[in-house]
């Protein structure tokens, strides 16, 4: 017999009794539920809430972390302190909101929110999945004159720390709770956190009512099956929601048109930089503007597909400049050598040369929209669609080529190792572009071949290819399971040795564990049939082996 999936069996997954193997009975696919941990619902939305204040001796210092049992490393605490205050305070009198993203540094993640990560991530768009290696910080910074303070100013930040990139939702939440917190302090914060701990968990595709401080925030959680223009949030149960809910059109989408106004004529260049994972520094009059620009650049419309993994963007605030005109003044392209640290003149400083030509039609439509006072959300939809279609035109040929590397379904047989996915050959892919390239779906001209060659050298290609190869491998394994379920297993075991049969049980059990951990895209019915198969095969063995296999 050919080697059948040559890896050692793993222990039962968490939630199964140690005396119970996944294949011992048909009911083995049902996992036991653990009682909910403290703050479990809170942790499905937030990791913690922090208060950062300015200390004359220490500088920015962490004043409070809630819930109190939240485990942040010292490095994470330092990062939160540093990132929660603007780089320059001079232009930030009053209240300022912005956001940041930081790398998780060592330490073990709290188990409170681990249980629902797999289920949420399975249904959420890639760009809205829970981060495992990073934390998002949503900041409400207040700086006001206060003669009672030694420096003459009250300076403090309220920070929501989360693994979810829900910038609209959390900034709206801060708008409600921060002013109240600065008046009533800790008791107010504790009450709000307890309310959040009563919220239902975020479920992709569902519209949720989230009560806090006498207001109901109504949001729809995006799903990976949503189309580009998904339907807006529909209000429901209005008779039970008094006063009327605060309806958010999106948990995460920004006003792209407003963010990109000063750089509209360079939007093609910015898209290429993000596609290729080039480092980019954003300097702006305020942390609000700089953080929104960073989020716009890395938003799903710009970075759908291959560009999600590794674009590096930093932000920094500079003193305020003149207010924008009705018709936005476009910043000029400038040589990178002319960039000076203290130079605050607006501009796009780069030595990068674009591969594609500018889309003059888009620019004309946007400028005409400004002149006609077209609503900003309509302008943003034009920008979002343009960037998404540009990305799709680039990625579709890659997807088609990857699909051609998948083995044919008829090559997958029950009792042999599944055939391997063929290797990605760059030259072979480039040959396909003549008849199946971006020109089929995109009117923009330019050096597409050169852009693909540059993309192959970027870290984003590596991230995209690894992700797609992993998905295809899982699909192949799932197909193998289905083929096994359709085979006559009793006929197969008749002329096999006990060693071969035991090997089959162990391999099937390993596959079942992988599928139960959501690593294989298989139906529940297939899992039940595999469990039955395992039970049937074990029943064909002598009693002593049955005892060993049923109670490992």
């Amino acid at each position: 017999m050919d080697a059948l999936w040559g890896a050692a069996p793993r222990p039962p997954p968490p939630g199964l009794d140690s005396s119970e193997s996944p294949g011992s009975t048909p009911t083995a696919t049902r996992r036991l539920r653990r009682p909910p941990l403290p703050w479990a619902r809170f942790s499905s939305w937030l990791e913690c809430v922090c208060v950062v204040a300015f200390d004359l001796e220490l500088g920015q210092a962490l004043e409070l972390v809630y819930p109190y049992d939240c485990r942040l490393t010292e490095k994470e605490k330092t990062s939160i302190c540093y990132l929660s205050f603007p780089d320059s305070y001079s232009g930030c009198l009053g209240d300022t909101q912005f956001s940041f993203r930081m790398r998780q540094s060592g330490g073990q993640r709290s188990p409170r929110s681990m249980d629902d990560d797999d289920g949420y991530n399975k249904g959420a768009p890639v760009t809205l999945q829970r981060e495992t290696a990073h934390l998002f910080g949503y900041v409400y910074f207040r700086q006001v004159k206060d003669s009672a303070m030694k420096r003459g100013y009250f300076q403090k930040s309220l920070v929501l720390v989360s693994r979810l990139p829900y910038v609209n939702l959390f900034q709206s939440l801060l708008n409600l709770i921060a002013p109240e917190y600065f008046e009533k302090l800790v008791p107010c914060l504790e009450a709000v956190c307890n309310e959040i701990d009563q919220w239902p968990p975020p479920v992709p595709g569902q519209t949720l009512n989230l009560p806090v401080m006498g207001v109901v925030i109504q949001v729809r959680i995006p799903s990976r099956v949503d189309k580009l223009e998904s339907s807006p949030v529909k209000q429901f149960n209005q008779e039970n929601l008094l006063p009327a809910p605060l309806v958010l059109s999106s948990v995460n989408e920004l006003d792209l048109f407003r963010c990109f106004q000063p750089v509209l004529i360079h939007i093609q260049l910015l898209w290429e930089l993000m596609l290729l994972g080039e480092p980019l520094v954003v300097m702006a009059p305020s942390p609000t503007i700089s953080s929104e620009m960073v989020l716009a650049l890395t938003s799903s419309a710009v970075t759908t597909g291959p560009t999600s993994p590794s674009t590096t963007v930093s932000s920094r605030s500079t003193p305020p400049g003149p207010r924008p005109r009705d018709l936005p003044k476009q910043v000029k392209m400038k040589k990178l050598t002319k960039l000076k640290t203290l130079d605050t003149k607006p501009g796009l400083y780069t030595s990068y040369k674009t591969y594609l030509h500018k889309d003059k039609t888009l620019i004309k439509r946007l400028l005409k929209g400004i002149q006609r006072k077209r609503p900003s959300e309509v302008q943003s939809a034009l920008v979002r669609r343009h960037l998404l279609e540009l990305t799709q035109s680039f990625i579709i040929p890659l997807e088609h080529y990857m699909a051609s590397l998948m083995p044919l379904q008829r090559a997958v047989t029950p009792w042999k190792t599944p055939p391997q996915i063929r290797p990605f050959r760059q030259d072979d892919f480039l040959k396909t572009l003549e008849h199946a390239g971006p020109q089929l779906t995109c009117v923009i001209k330019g050096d597409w071949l050169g852009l693909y060659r540059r993309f192959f050298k970027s870290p984003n290609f590596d991230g995209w290819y690894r992700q797609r190869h992993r998905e295809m491998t899982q699909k192949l394994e799932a197909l193998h399971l289905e083929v096994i379920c359709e085979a006559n297993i009793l006929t197969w075991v008749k002329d096999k040795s006990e060693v071969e049969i035991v090997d089959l049980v162990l391999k099937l059990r390993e596959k079942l564990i992988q599928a139960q951990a959501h690593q294989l895209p298989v139906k529940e019915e297939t899992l039940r049939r595999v469990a039955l198969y395992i039970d049937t095969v074990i029943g064909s063995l002598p009693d002593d082996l049955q005892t060993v296999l049923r109670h490992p």
Side-chain angles (χ1 to χ4, degrees):
M1 177 177 108
D2 286 53
L4 199 65
W5 329 297
R10 298 176 183 174
L16 285 177
D17 187 90
S18 59
S19 63
E20 204 177 306
S21 74
S24 58
T25 68
T27 61
T29 57
R30 295 199 299 268
R31 300 176 68 176
L32 301 181
R33 290 183 177 273
R34 293 191 291 260
L37 292 166
W39 296 103
R41 287 194 173 190
F42 175 91
S43 295
S44 67
W45 295 94
L46 296 172
E47 288 292 304
C48 62
V49 179
C50 298
V51 177
V52 180
F54 189 87
D55 185 284
L56 277 176
E57 296 180 358
L58 302 175
Q60 288 144 228
L62 201 57
E63 190 176 87
L64 173 71
V65 178
Y66 197 87
Y68 299 119
D69 65 344
C70 179
R71 293 179 292 181
L72 294 172
T73 65
E74 290 304 314
K75 189 172 182 179
E76 287 168 347
K77 291 177 182 177
T78 301
S79 295
I80 290 172
C81 288
Y82 175 74
L83 294 168
S84 296
F85 272 43
D87 286 352
S88 172
Y89 305 162
S90 58
C92 294
L93 276 177
D95 294 343
T96 304
Q97 286 188 256
F98 58 95
S99 58
F100 62 83
R101 178 174 177 260
M102 71 179 199
R103 193 178 299 277
Q104 182 181 349
S105 57
Q108 284 202 343
R109 177 183 165 190
S110 169
R112 290 194 300 245
S113 62
M114 287 174 125
D115 287 348
D116 62 346
D117 273 11
D118 284 341
Y120 170 81
N121 285 351
K122 192 174 182 181
V126 174
T127 51
L128 291 184
Q129 291 180 357
R130 276 198 185 91
E131 289 269 7
T132 56
H134 297 86
L135 295 169
F136 294 94
Y138 303 95
V139 183
Y140 194 106
F141 171 71
R142 173 168 287 186
Q143 178 174 247
V144 293
K145 290 183 178 181
D146 187 345
S147 58
M149 308 296 291
K150 288 185 178 181
R151 299 187 74 206
Y153 287 93
F154 171 91
Q155 295 171 319
K156 189 172 287 190
S157 287
L158 182 62
V159 188
L160 304 181
V161 180
S162 176
R163 295 183 184 277
L164 294 169
Y166 289 175
V167 59
N168 281 355
L169 172 61
F170 291 129
Q171 294 290 18
S172 298
L173 182 60
L174 278 171
N175 266 330
L176 292 173
I177 66 176
E180 194 79 4
Y181 165 73
F182 288 128
E183 296 295 328
K184 300 179 180 178
L185 303 179
V186 177
C188 166
L189 203 56
E190 291 178 343
V192 166
C193 290
N194 277 286
E195 282 191 286
I196 295 174
D197 196 37
Q198 303 302 313
W199 287 2
V203 178
Q206 287 192 6
T207 299
L208 304 176
N209 289 323
L210 310 175
V212 61
M213 295 182 60
V215 177
V216 175
I217 303 174
Q218 195 170 97
V219 296
R220 182 184 182 277
I221 308 300
S223 166
R224 66 169 54 199
V225 297
D226 290 345
K227 294 181 180 179
L228 176 61
E229 280 102 13
S230 58
S231 57
V233 176
K234 295 181 180 179
Q235 299 185 26
F236 62 96
N237 293 336
Q238 294 303 304
E239 65 276 9
N240 298 324
L241 300 178
L242 295 174
L246 170 62
V247 181
L248 300 184
S249 59
S250 170
V251 294
N252 67 298
E253 287 184 354
L254 296 166
D255 186 340
L256 288 185
F257 176 69
R258 177 172 54 81
C259 293
F260 286 136
Q261 265 198 2
V263 291
L264 283 175
I265 61 173
H266 306 301
I267 201 166
Q268 194 82 30
L269 181 149
L270 292 170
W271 177 82
E272 288 190 26
L273 290 174
M274 301 305 289
L275 178 78
L276 301 173
E278 295 291 332
L280 188 64
V281 177
V282 176
M283 293 189 289
S286 73
T288 304
I289 295 174
S290 61
S291 65
E292 284 188 350
M293 175 61 86
V294 170
L295 288 169
L297 288 167
T298 57
S299 68
S300 59
V302 180
T303 59
T304 297
T307 59
S308 301
S310 61
T311 299
T312 303
V313 185
S314 303
S315 66
R316 175 184 172 182
S317 59
T318 61
R323 299 182 64 181
R325 304 177 181 181
D326 292 335
L327 288 175
K329 182 180 180 180
Q330 299 295 290
V331 300
K332 295 181 179 180
M333 185 88 72
K334 300 184 180 182
K335 293 182 179 179
L336 193 60
T337 53
K338 292 186 177 181
L339 178 63
K340 300 176 182 178
T341 306
L342 300 178
D343 184 6
T344 59
K345 292 181 180 179
L348 184 56
Y349 298 84
T350 182
S351 58
Y352 178 82
K353 302 296 183 183
T354 57
Y355 288 89
L356 305 182
H357 303 156
K358 291 179 181 178
D359 185 354
K360 295 181 180 179
T361 304
L362 172 71
I363 303 302
K364 289 179 181 178
R365 290 180 69 187
L366 292 173
L367 292 177
K368 186 177 291 185
I370 294 173
Q371 294 165 352
R372 294 181 177 179
K373 297 183 179 180
R374 186 184 293 153
S376 185
E377 57 267 24
V378 178
Q379 296 280 75
S380 286
L382 286 174
V383 175
R384 186 172 286 108
R385 173 168 285 282
H386 169 77
L387 294 171
L388 181 60
E389 290 179 348
L390 193 57
T391 305
Q392 288 178 336
S393 294
F394 183 86
I395 196 68
I396 285 172
L398 285 164
E399 294 284 358
H400 285 169
Y401 179 72
M402 279 295 292
S404 73
L405 305 179
M406 187 78 167
L408 297 175
Q409 185 170 345
R410 64 173 178 266
V412 181
T413 56
W415 317 120
K416 290 186 178 182
T417 303
Q420 292 187 343
I421 299 167
R422 292 187 294 279
F424 189 107
R425 302 189 188 281
Q426 296 179 12
D427 289 340
D428 290 347
F429 165 74
L430 293 175
K431 290 176 184 176
T432 69
L433 296 180
E434 183 178 354
H435 302 291
Q439 71 276 5
L440 298 181
T441 55
C442 185
V443 298
I444 296 176
K445 306 296 182 182
D447 184 8
W448 286 96
L449 281 177
L451 186 59
Y452 278 112
R453 289 193 179 99
R454 180 76 173 263
F455 177 65
F456 290 146
K457 298 176 182 178
S458 76
N460 283 341
F461 170 71
D462 182 66
W464 171 83
Y465 175 74
R466 287 176 183 272
Q467 175 68 19
R468 291 295 292 118
H469 194 275
R470 181 164 54 248
E471 291 172 356
M472 291 169 66
T473 301
Q474 290 175 349
K475 185 177 180 181
L476 201 55
E477 293 287 343
L479 180 61
H480 192 207
L481 263 185
E482 293 173 2
V483 171
I484 290 172
C485 288
E486 294 170 1
N488 190 329
I489 199 165
L490 291 178
T491 301
W492 182 84
V493 300
K494 280 182 180 179
D495 60 346
K496 297 299 183 292
S497 67
E498 290 180 359
V499 172
E500 291 174 309
I501 296 173
V502 169
D503 184 61
L504 174 64
V505 169
L506 296 179
K507 303 309 179 187
L508 284 176
R509 182 174 287 163
E510 182 183 10
K511 278 182 171 287
L512 187 61
I513 291 173
Q514 289 177 349
Q516 286 173 327
H518 304 291
Q519 295 177 10
L520 294 181
V522 292
K523 299 176 182 177
E524 286 295 325
E525 176 60 26
T526 301
L527 296 182
R528 286 192 288 270
R529 291 176 67 184
V530 172
L532 278 169
Y533 264 38
I534 293 172
D535 197 52
T536 301
V537 173
I538 291 176
S540 70
L541 294 168
D543 291 344
D544 57 340
L545 277 177
Q546 287 191 40
T547 302
V548 171
L549 289 173
R550 292 191 193 279
H551 303 283

